[in-house]
Amino acid sequence: MKSCLKIPRILLPEEGFEKWAVIACDQYTSDQNYWRRVAEYVGDAPSTLRFILSECYLGQDDEDAGERIAASMYHALESGALGKLTRGFLLTRRKTSAGVREGIIAAIDLEAYTIGGGETSLIRSSEEVVPARLGARVALRRRAPLEFPHAILFYNDKKGKVKKLLKGEDLEKLYDFDLMEGGGRIEGYFLPEDLSVSLSRALHTRSEPCFAVADGNHSVAAAKVFWEELKENLTERERASHPARYMLVELVNLYDDAVVFHPIHRLAKEVDAETFCDYFMRAVKCRREGNLLYPALPAGAAGVKKCDELCEEYIKQNGGQIDYIHGERELRALAAGDHVGIVLKTVEKDGFFAQLENGGNFPKKTFSVGEANEKRYYLEGREISYE
């Protein structure tokens, strides 16, 4: 099988990891206080905070933000704040509330990745991608000489063969520190090129797909869109080796004990609660607790699809909005007055890759991997177009 992974030369900060590593830009999107605290903590220190535009601030001077981000990346490269490792993967161990999650930092070949439903490939998006959410991300990537991505991809290793391959290896530790804002502790170990080659073989399976984007679907999709745009003006030889053809990601075993799926619930906002509940309960058997509905829908794609179809049809006919809520406690607090909460079930691991076979996908906002503060932090980077 042809490999869809590349062994990269990874960039890391020379010092100051605690202020360097910042959580994914698509977290805490309604909490400007979180991002203010981060900015105050980071101060003038080198940090990936200057390489991102938090979605909390999307739509506010995006054009100027793109210029600032590119300038900050060039400054980090040219000031000596970053060091480049020899070619190899990295092993990460991230302590979270669910346990210690292990990951492999590697680069994926975007030529082997597909976005749309019905497309088969070695690397697949796991959820529907909303084209309207790609524009700002693609615009930032056009200007950026570096990438510091937050995407996590699953591989399917129920027997733990990758972990067994690494057992007993004496690895060089590159970092070990506490992540800011309660993100847990993270360790990183260098995997030299020869070991990375063996790992790459072990990570590939005969299943289709081999890898599925678990977190950061829109970031990977934006990198793909940019690459398709860029390669039109390249020769075949240039296309084969251009750094923007690849993207740095973290590969995580779907069956890692510390990988925990959380459902993303639906909140019907600004609706007549009694009318909505009556409508929904006539279509699906439900248990009702006040303004909370517990529908007898299956876990996974089929249940979410049915719920979304019902919500969209109601809103089309009667008005209202749908919001996506992480956590049943948060949903319960919001489900009152003219807001109705719909509690959905957790995706089951054994059905995850099966759903993606033959170009399948999960509906948007089907699941979340871990809590908000357990999402990936920007830490390792890579050059994609440095001149």
Side-chain angles (χ1 to χ4, degrees), residues 98 234 263 277:
L234 301 177
C277 289

Side-chain angles (χ1 to χ4, degrees), residues 9 65 203 249 371 383:
R9 293 195 65 186
L203 286 162
V249 300
E371 302 292 348
E383 294 179 21

Side-chain angles (χ1 to χ4, degrees), residues 68-88:
R68 290 196 302 271
I69 288 168
S72 296
M73 288 181 171
Y74 281 115
H75 177 73
L77 275 169
E78 293 164 2
S79 68
L82 287 166
K84 185 187 288 187
L85 304 177
T86 57
R87 204 167 291 281

Side-chain angles (χ1 to χ4, degrees), residues 7-291:
I7 302 173
R9 293 195 65 186
I10 291 171
L11 298 169
L12 283 175
E14 293 290 355
E15 59 185 3
F17 284 90
E18 291 83 359
K19 293 185 177 182
W20 176 264
V22 174
I23 205 163
C25 66
D26 58 354
Q27 299 303 306
Y28 303 101
T29 56
S30 298
D31 188 356
Q32 291 191 6
N33 286 331
Y34 176 94
W35 293 101
R36 289 192 191 101
R37 290 196 306 271
V38 170
E40 289 172 3
Y41 173 66
V42 166
D44 295 329
S47 175
T48 55
L49 180 64
R50 283 177 260 283
F51 298 168
I52 64 170
L53 175 60
S54 165
E55 290 190 11
C56 193
Y57 303 113
L58 268 181
Q60 302 177 26
D61 299 321
D62 292 0
E63 187 72 17
D64 289 343
E67 292 182 8
R68 290 196 302 271
I69 288 168
S72 296
M73 288 181 171
Y74 281 115
H75 177 73
L77 275 169
E78 293 164 2
S79 68
L82 287 166
K84 185 187 288 187
L85 304 177
T86 57
R87 204 167 291 281
F89 292 164
L90 262 67
L91 168 68
T92 67
R93 292 196 176 108
R94 169 85 177 274
K95 185 177 181 181
T96 71
S97 61
V100 179
R101 185 178 74 214
E102 291 197 349
I104 305 292
I105 308 299
I108 59 169
D109 185 351
L110 292 168
E111 286 288 322
Y113 163 78
T114 54
I115 301 171
E119 298 175 314
T120 59
S121 59
L122 292 177
I123 308 169
R124 287 279 301 143
S125 59
S126 62
E127 292 185 348
E128 294 174 12
V129 170
V130 182
R133 295 184 63 193
L134 299 182
R137 292 174 170 86
V138 175
L140 288 173
R141 198 168 177 90
R142 285 192 192 109
R143 296 180 173 186
L146 309 175
E147 62 173 4
F148 283 83
H150 68 262
I152 294 177
L153 273 64
F154 282 146
Y155 61 92
N156 194 0
D157 186 14
K158 197 169 187 176
K159 295 183 178 179
K161 62 181 180 181
V162 170
K163 195 166 187 174
K164 291 174 184 174
L165 183 61
L166 291 173
K167 189 176 182 180
E169 292 285 345
D170 184 18
L171 303 175
E172 176 190 359
K173 182 182 282 189
L174 300 174
Y175 54 75
D176 182 356
F177 65 100
D178 288 323
L179 294 160
M180 67 174 74
E181 289 288 324
R185 192 167 185 86
I186 190 164
E187 300 174 5
Y189 299 85
F190 182 65
L191 302 172
E193 188 170 10
D194 57 346
L195 181 55
S196 297
V197 170
S198 299
L199 268 176
S200 181
R201 294 194 190 104
L203 286 162
H204 284 78
T205 65
R206 295 188 180 277
S207 61
E208 181 281 316
C210 280
F211 305 100
V213 184
D215 221 350
N217 272 282
H218 286 84
S219 293
V220 183
K224 173 73 169 183
V225 169
F226 173 64
W227 168 240
E228 292 295 326
E229 174 186 290
L230 181 66
K231 77 178 186 181
E232 291 301 313
N233 297 315
L234 301 177
T235 66
E236 285 299 319
R237 184 174 181 179
E238 289 170 332
R239 290 180 184 183
S241 59
H242 196 286
R245 173 174 170 165
Y246 304 92
M247 181 179 182
L248 203 64
V249 300
E250 180 178 359
L251 305 173
V252 174
N253 184 8
L254 171 66
Y255 290 97
D256 189 305
D257 290 340
V259 168
V260 178
F261 282 123
H262 297 278
I264 301 177
H265 308 297
R266 272 43 177 172
L267 183 70
K269 300 170 66 175
E270 300 169 12
V271 298
D272 182 278
E274 292 304 318
T275 303
F276 181 89
C277 289
D278 179 64
Y279 157 82
F280 202 96
M281 293 173 73
R282 279 190 281 110
V284 178
K285 184 178 179 181
C286 298
R287 174 169 59 88
R288 181 179 177 184
E289 294 183 8
N291 276 21

Side-chain angles (χ1 to χ4, degrees), residues 117-120 124 208-209 353-361:
E119 298 175 314
T120 59
R124 287 279 301 143
E208 181 281 316
F353 272 91
Q355 175 64 30
L356 303 179
E357 291 175 0
N358 301 314
N361 244 341

Side-chain angles (χ1 to χ4, degrees), residues 313-366:
E313 183 61 29
Y314 179 91
I315 286 170
K316 182 179 178 182
Q317 298 295 328
N318 302 281
Q321 300 178 54
I322 294 297
D323 201 358
Y324 305 93
I325 308 300
H326 298 250
E328 189 174 336
R329 180 186 302 173
E330 290 78 2
L331 184 70
R332 184 178 293 276
L334 293 167
D338 60 358
H339 294 358
V340 176
I342 305 163
V343 181
L344 296 175
K345 296 175 182 174
T346 304
V347 170
E348 296 174 356
K349 289 186 179 182
D350 284 345
F352 184 84
F353 272 91
Q355 175 64 30
L356 303 179
E357 291 175 0
N358 301 314
N361 244 341
F362 288 92
K364 66 180 180 180
K365 302 290 185 180
T366 296

